[in-house]
Amino acid sequence: MSLYDHVAVIAPGVTLDRRAALAAAARSNGHKASVADDIERAREQLQSLSASVPTRAAARRRVAETADRLEAERERVATLRGRLEAGDDVADTYRQAIADLSEAETDHAAAKERLDAARERAREARDVRQRRLRLEDELGNLERAARAELAEAVRPAADDAVAALPGCGATTFDGAGPVPAALALARVGSLERPLTLACRHFATSGDAEAWLGVPVVSLRPMVYRW
């Protein structure tokens, strides 16, 4: 999220992820975490890895189907062989049954090969999924480290801004309420879009703009709250 996403509307009841917002303020001022390149590499690696595990259900069904057919063709050949040995005139039918059995054996072997290939792909996909999980953990750790580093880069300025905010009373960013904290971030960060304010820390919109250094849209008259 950008700094603007955190402070676009500053009003009572605003929620603020303080560390993430501090980090966003630092980024808006051009700060870059020391692990930024590592984060980019981890993201690129994640994007290159597929998360899906291919299904083997169709391949298993095909093996079962061809196995049933193979068993039926074997029984048919055995039956015809017995009749042929008994003197029945089934030579042509027997030859066709042999051909059908050969075809069934070929189909069954091919189905088993496809199932083996599907199993191998599934194993590879599981390996990829494990790599994704490790990368996601690594990326999460890197992103947390980056936020902490960036947050500390602007925390002193945020503390000073809170202490200088009219009608606040707090002296540190962490000790301030959500509205003063958001105002402090808007002051120390770099913003290019107007903010919407509904707070009572400034007498006029002009005072707010002068203190924040950014255009302000006021939702209600601003008066000091001492």
Side-chain angles (χ1 to χ4, degrees):
M1 293 175 63
S2 69
L3 175 59
Y4 187 80
D5 293 327
H6 288 282
V7 301
V9 178
I10 303 177
V14 65
T15 58
L16 194 66
D17 182 337
R18 299 200 179 211
R19 175 169 288 186
L22 280 168
R27 285 193 297 269
S28 75
N29 289 335
H31 289 281
K32 182 178 179 180
S34 59
V35 294
D37 291 340
D38 295 329
I39 289 174
E40 185 62 27
R41 280 194 294 270
R43 287 174 176 168
E44 290 175 355
Q45 290 174 8
L46 271 175
Q47 290 176 355
S48 69
L49 297 177
S50 171
S52 62
V53 177
T55 178
R56 290 160 288 170
R60 282 195 292 264
R61 283 196 301 271
R62 182 58 180 162
V63 168
E65 291 168 357
T66 57
D68 289 343
R69 182 194 172 197
L70 179 59
E71 182 62 24
E73 294 296 345
R74 284 172 175 167
E75 291 178 359
R76 180 181 176 220
V77 167
T79 298
L80 288 170
R81 183 184 297 115
R83 291 179 59 189
L84 188 63
E85 291 172 351
D88 290 349
D89 185 15
V90 292
D92 290 343
T93 304
Y94 179 68
R95 283 192 293 271
Q96 183 59 51
I98 292 294
D100 292 343
L101 174 59
S102 177
E103 180 181 319
E105 289 173 338
T106 299
D107 288 347
H108 185 57
K112 290 197 295 183
E113 288 178 0
R114 285 192 291 270
L115 178 57
D116 289 342
R119 285 170 173 161
E120 180 60 27
R121 289 194 299 271
R123 281 192 292 270
E124 292 173 354
R126 285 193 294 271
D127 290 342
V128 168
R129 185 169 59 185
Q130 290 301 315
R131 288 179 59 196
R132 280 188 63 87
L133 291 173
R134 288 193 295 270
L135 274 172
E136 287 169 355
D137 286 343
E138 178 185 349
L139 179 59
N141 291 334
L142 288 169
E143 289 175 338
R144 283 188 289 273
R147 284 194 296 271
E149 178 184 338
L150 291 171
E152 292 309 308
V154 296
R155 187 179 296 277
D159 288 340
D160 292 343
V162 166
L165 178 63
C168 178
T171 58
T172 65
F173 178 79
D174 287 338
V179 168
L183 290 168
L185 289 171
R187 177 180 170 95
V188 303
S190 297
L191 294 165
E192 297 180 355
R193 298 165 63 184
L195 300 182
T196 300
L197 301 187
C199 60
R200 299 179 180 272
H201 288 276
F202 305 99
T204 66
S205 295
D207 290 342
E209 291 177 349
W211 194 85
L212 293 167
V214 65
V216 164
V217 176
S218 177
L219 295 182
R220 62 187 180 189
M222 296 185 179
V223 297
Y224 282 106
R225 174 182 291 172
W226 296 100

